[in-house]
Amino acid sequence: MKFPQSVLIWGDMSSAGVGPLCFIKSRVSAGIYQILDHFMVPPTGELYGDADFIFQQDLAPAHTAKSTKTWLNDHGITVLDWPANLPDLNPIENLWGISKRKMRDMRLSNAAELTAAIEASWSSITPQQCHRLIASMPHHIEAVIDTEGSRTKY
């Protein structure tokens, strides 16, 4: 396609599997980031039960806004401290890559087809894939330490 379709998505994962996707129709701001009410809180119970968890996100402005921090605090959600300028070590980035590779050869002609393909790709991700990605993180961290914060093969 000369001008390929694109969509903005929020998703989450844990070693127990993936949560539901949220397709966002506007740019992400602190106000829109309150999608967590519907797309994070309910699935968290399904993915973790009563177990504790730590939420990892990058330092995008919507993620670090005062209202977002207040919302996370009010809901008792612990957020992983994340230093600026650190290579992205969030396992969900690798999961997005897996999802994209599953759709690589698809010929999609509109946003609706793209959305359906993304949903199908995402729902085919197994808990085992998620667990392997999370279990691989110590190796990723070690590689970043070895390169003193420079690029790694991950």
Side-chain angles (χ1 to χ4, degrees), residues 30-97:
I32 192 74
Y33 199 60
Q34 301 310 317
I35 59 174
L36 298 175
D37 269 331
H38 301 288
F39 289 92
M40 181 183 174
V41 175
T44 310
E46 295 169 23
L47 290 174
Y48 305 110
D50 291 332
D52 289 335
F53 69 94
I54 298 174
F55 184 53
Q56 181 180 4
Q57 58 184 357
D58 60 24
L59 296 176
H63 302 169
T64 58
K66 185 176 179 181
S67 61
T68 301
K69 289 179 179 181
T70 299
W71 185 91
L72 292 164
N73 188 53
D74 290 349
H75 287 80
I77 298 171
T78 303
V79 178
L80 181 65
D81 284 333
W82 205 246
N85 302 316
L86 185 70
D88 196 347
L89 294 174
N90 191 334
I92 200 166
E93 297 303 331
N94 292 317
L95 201 59
W96 291 124

